Amino acid sequence: MGCCTGRCSLICLCALQLLSALERQIFDFLGFQWAPILGNFLHIIVVILGLFGTIQYRPRYIVVYTVWTALWVTWNVFIICFYLEVGGLSKDTDLMTFNISVHRSWWREHGPGCVRRVLPPSAHGMMDDYTYVSVTGCIVDFQYLEVIHSAVQILLSLVGFVYACYVISIFMEEEDTYSCDLHIFKLWRLIVE
């Protein structure tokens, strides 16, 4: 097998997806974004399953990976719509934290070039827990960083889907050839005996 086979390419692509998902998982943990954390966790598990299926010649595992990539693309399209506020969605809601906290994207306060200033809450009956943060000077707004992350995930998933379909077809073709050879061998043994 050459190094540029579909199987080798899918292995490299799964490794790249794992790195990308782990990077995204870290920043979602820093921002307490529980819905993306759960999604990233499932994605990491399924990508490992797809990687295992590719290495061990298990087409069923690759089928699970293929189905998951379609769901993963859908999830990332939702995240893009969420951060770009398409269709009535608002990035200022607590949807990504399952409405259990007021945390937002980590990139909101820590994006490239952002200057973060903590402001004390006003005395007009505000809760003592909350600290207000003023962020200025960001080179790229946080919602565009989140959109870029999702776009990269979509790109990797679409390429992974194509390679996974190709590898499944190759594995099934090899399995059919092996099965056919086995039947011919058995038939030959019956004729010879």
Side-chain angles (χ1 to χ4, degrees), residues 36-178:
I37 288 169
L38 182 61
N40 291 333
F41 179 72
L42 291 173
H43 181 62
I44 289 167
I45 289 173
V46 174
V47 170
I48 290 171
L49 187 69
L51 187 61
F52 178 76
T54 306
I55 291 170
Q56 295 292 321
Y57 295 95
R58 310 265 177 153
R60 289 183 183 156
Y61 293 166
I62 303 172
V63 168
V64 171
Y65 167 79
T66 305
V67 170
W68 174 256
T69 57
L71 295 172
W72 189 242
V73 166
T74 305
W75 168 252
N76 281 286
V77 167
F78 167 75
I79 288 181
I80 288 173
C81 292
F82 178 79
Y83 281 108
L84 294 180
E85 298 182 334
V86 175
L89 294 170
S90 174
K91 65 181 176 280
D92 294 323
T93 63
D94 295 330
L95 185 64
M96 292 296 173
T97 61
F98 294 132
N99 294 324
I100 57 174
S101 71
V102 293
H103 290 92
R104 302 284 185 264
S105 171
W106 184 82
W107 295 107
R108 177 177 235 150
E109 299 173 12
H110 302 93
C114 291
V115 177
R116 181 178 182 257
R117 279 183 260 162
V118 177
L119 305 172
S122 64
H124 298 305
M126 294 292 175
M127 299 174 72
D128 293 332
D129 301 335
Y130 293 102
T131 304
Y132 296 94
V133 177
S134 169
V135 179
T136 58
C138 295
I139 296 171
V140 179
D141 289 336
F142 78 95
Q143 65 265 25
Y144 299 122
L145 289 170
E146 293 287 355
V147 167
I148 290 168
H149 272 97
S150 290
V152 167
Q153 293 292 324
I154 288 171
L155 178 67
L156 290 173
S157 292
L158 290 176
V159 174
F161 181 85
V162 170
Y163 272 108
C165 290
Y166 174 71
V167 169
I168 290 169
S169 70
I170 295 298
F171 284 178
M172 296 309 240
E173 187 177 289
E174 287 175 3
E175 189 174 290
D176 289 345
T177 303
Y178 173 74

Side-chain angles (χ1 to χ4, degrees), residues 17-32:
Q17 276 187 310
L18 275 177
L19 289 174
S20 176
L22 287 171
E23 179 266 340
R24 188 174 182 185
Q25 183 79 321
I26 289 168
F27 288 112
D28 286 339
F29 262 118
L30 290 173
F32 301 102

